[in-house]
Amino acid sequence: MGNSLRCISHEQDPNQKKPSVATGGESSNNSEKHVRRLSLIPSFRRRTLLPSLSCSGSSTSTSTSKKGGIKTKKKIRERHHQEHHHDHEKDSLIQEQTLAATNILFSQTPRNSNSAPPFRRSTSVVYPSTQPPPASVGAATGSVSGVLTPKKSTCAFVRSSSNRQRSSTDPVLKPNQLLDKELMVVESAETKRFVLVHGGGFGAWCWYKTITLLEKHGFQVDAVDLTGSGVSSFDTNNITSLAQYVKPLLHFFDTLKPNEKVILVGHDFGGACMSYAMEMFPSKISKAVFISAAMLPNAQSTLDLFNQQTETNYDLMEQVHIFLYANGKKNPPTAVDFDRSLLRDFFFNQSPPKDVALASVSMRPIPFAPVVEKLHVSEKNYGSIRRFYIKTMEEDYAVPVSLQDAMIKSNPPEQVFQLKGSDHAPFFSRPQSLNRILVEISQIPSKKSS
């Protein structure tokens, strides 16, 4: 290795010639000597190991006098002392060589590679920098003057920092101040509980972002899997009525306390399902929010509503839906499935890829019988609940803006909100904006107190 230690027998004749390192420590005579080599290791390890090294060898001769033995041992101790001092010098040299080798490795990192060099990271500095930025940075590159050029480091680590001093007008947030503000929002709401109803083919899983955001604001949130949806094991083809389809939602309302109210939120075909529940439990629903959902007038079915559509994406709607005939082709369809290859274009054209992947493996067929069933609602029950509509705009191909406007016109809600830049699934594509609207709706005071 170029850095090795030799241990020589204590009984070795001091006048005898040292063995050559190049020949592995073998001498020309017959005297036996053992040579140990230590590989290149950090200096602190070598200093630790050196005292524990033992040297052994076969004794070829013994001292005939005590005085001669003492002299021999003294010379051996001096030799070990010299070798130990020499090793310290080698240790310093090894450290310098190791540092130089490290610098060479980092300096040889390819600069034309598209990938980031190894060991590259940025460290955020929370305190303001005391050094002004170089004058050439802002002039040459047009970069923000508040960002400093990182110093060169032997480890190639990039440090980012800001030299902006805190202004006297900057708000100083105390611990838990944001949390207190969120709790104030909840306290001002009429009810602290949301119930989320998924659309056709979806399940409670689609609300995972909305649940997280609402709970962060201090609300209690429940998401229901309708029959044959999400984790429900019921066969979708065997659902024969809207009442059967919304049974889990009705069961949820049965479990509520007598005076407890919730904000009911529905998406897509879930709008018809929540309308059914509104007719059944008007006293337990504070507000109803339709998100690009079927908001039907009395005696109309969801299929009737979609048959009114005259948008140019009607061909895409026909292609994405696949009818299932569990009772044979001579009988009406039992369910409607989706062409998974067209899900992104039809439902999720603005949603993150991971959510599209989640939907593609989680969506289930829509039962056909509830879609064609006419909904019967009354002004006394359904009409007594405050309704709000959240419109998804031009990127929604499943329920186009024109169809949403037609529903709003024929069955006007109390207030309409718009979600720009959203596809048909705003809980994926615009979760923060959707959350803000839902929180705002929860804060709208009741008509009695206004």
Side-chain angles (χ1 to χ4, degrees), residues 108-392:
Q108 291 179 350
T109 301
R111 302 300 178 186
N112 57 350
S113 174
N114 294 329
S115 60
F119 308 111
R120 186 181 181 91
R121 71 180 183 185
S122 63
T123 304
S124 177
V125 182
V126 297
Y127 51 85
S129 174
T130 57
Q131 298 180 358
S136 58
V137 175
T141 63
S143 60
V144 180
S145 60
V147 180
L148 297 179
T149 302
K151 292 183 178 181
K152 289 184 180 180
S153 172
T154 56
C155 295
F157 293 154
V158 178
R159 165 174 283 195
S160 62
S161 61
S162 172
N163 67 343
R164 176 186 179 273
Q165 299 291 341
R166 187 177 66 83
S167 172
S168 58
T169 59
D170 288 346
V172 179
L173 298 180
K174 298 179 181 180
N176 300 326
Q177 183 173 342
L178 291 178
L179 181 60
D180 292 341
K181 185 177 180 181
E182 292 173 356
L183 292 177
M184 287 175 61
V185 170
V186 179
E187 292 300 329
S188 63
E190 184 181 355
T191 178
K192 302 177 184 179
R193 192 167 191 176
F194 277 89
V195 178
L196 310 178
V197 184
H198 63 80
F202 292 85
W205 51 266
C206 72
W207 298 107
Y208 77 96
K209 292 182 181 179
T210 304
I211 293 172
T212 303
L213 293 171
L214 287 175
E215 287 182 343
K216 184 179 179 182
H217 281 83
F219 291 99
Q220 182 180 352
V221 188
D222 298 278
V224 181
D225 273 322
L226 300 178
T227 307
S229 304
V231 299
S232 172
S233 60
F234 199 89
D235 186 358
T236 309
N237 293 289
N238 295 332
I239 299 174
T240 58
S241 66
L242 185 59
Q244 184 182 10
Y245 184 54
V246 302
K247 187 176 181 180
L249 180 60
L250 304 181
H251 175 71
F252 171 82
F253 280 106
D254 282 331
T255 61
L256 290 178
K257 297 177 181 178
N259 297 326
E260 187 175 5
K261 290 190 175 185
V262 301
I263 298 176
L264 189 59
V265 180
H267 169 253
D268 189 76
F269 184 47
C273 301
M274 62 185 286
S275 296
Y276 191 96
M278 290 164 65
E279 181 66 21
M280 298 288 293
F281 300 95
S283 62
K284 295 186 177 182
I285 301 171
S286 171
K287 297 166 184 171
V289 184
F290 294 76
I291 306 174
S292 185
M295 189 172 62
L296 307 177
N298 184 43
Q300 189 180 39
S301 70
T302 305
L303 185 61
D304 294 336
L305 175 69
F306 280 89
N307 283 337
Q308 301 172 10
Q309 182 171 303
T310 58
E311 289 288 324
T312 56
N313 63 336
Y314 185 76
D315 292 338
L316 179 60
M317 180 176 288
E318 279 191 326
Q319 294 174 18
V320 74
H321 292 110
I322 302 172
F323 289 93
L324 304 180
Y325 297 85
N327 298 327
K329 284 290 185 74
K330 294 183 179 180
N331 296 305
T334 52
V336 183
D337 205 354
F338 306 97
D339 185 341
R340 296 301 194 270
S341 65
L342 298 175
L343 285 180
R344 174 183 288 276
D345 295 334
F346 191 66
F347 288 119
F348 313 113
N349 54 81
Q350 300 296 316
S351 297
K354 63 180 181 181
D355 292 324
V356 180
L358 172 66
S360 65
V361 298
S362 304
M363 292 187 73
R364 296 178 61 180
I366 308 172
F368 189 70
V371 175
V372 299
E373 182 178 331
K374 294 186 184 297
L375 179 67
H376 295 280
V377 293
S378 65
E379 280 295 322
K380 180 182 178 181
N381 295 339
Y382 170 87
S384 65
I385 301 173
R386 305 173 67 186
R387 287 179 290 115
F388 301 86
Y389 200 96
I390 301 178
K391 286 175 57 178
T392 49

Side-chain angles (χ1 to χ4, degrees), residues 365-439:
I366 308 172
F368 189 70
V371 175
V372 299
E373 182 178 331
K374 294 186 184 297
L375 179 67
H376 295 280
V377 293
S378 65
E379 280 295 322
K380 180 182 178 181
N381 295 339
Y382 170 87
S384 65
I385 301 173
R386 305 173 67 186
R387 287 179 290 115
F388 301 86
Y389 200 96
I390 301 178
K391 286 175 57 178
T392 49
M393 304 306 289
E394 289 77 9
E395 304 300 331
D396 189 343
Y397 298 147
V399 184
V401 177
S402 60
L403 187 57
Q404 296 181 61
D405 288 335
M407 289 187 288
I408 293 170
K409 184 178 180 180
S410 63
N411 191 16
E414 180 177 326
Q415 194 171 344
V416 176
F417 297 83
Q418 292 186 357
L419 265 176
K420 294 184 178 180
S422 172
D423 52 26
H424 186 58
F427 38 75
F428 289 158
S429 58
R430 293 293 183 272
Q432 297 283 356
S433 299
L434 176 61
N435 177 71
R436 283 193 293 270
I437 295 176
L438 292 177
V439 173

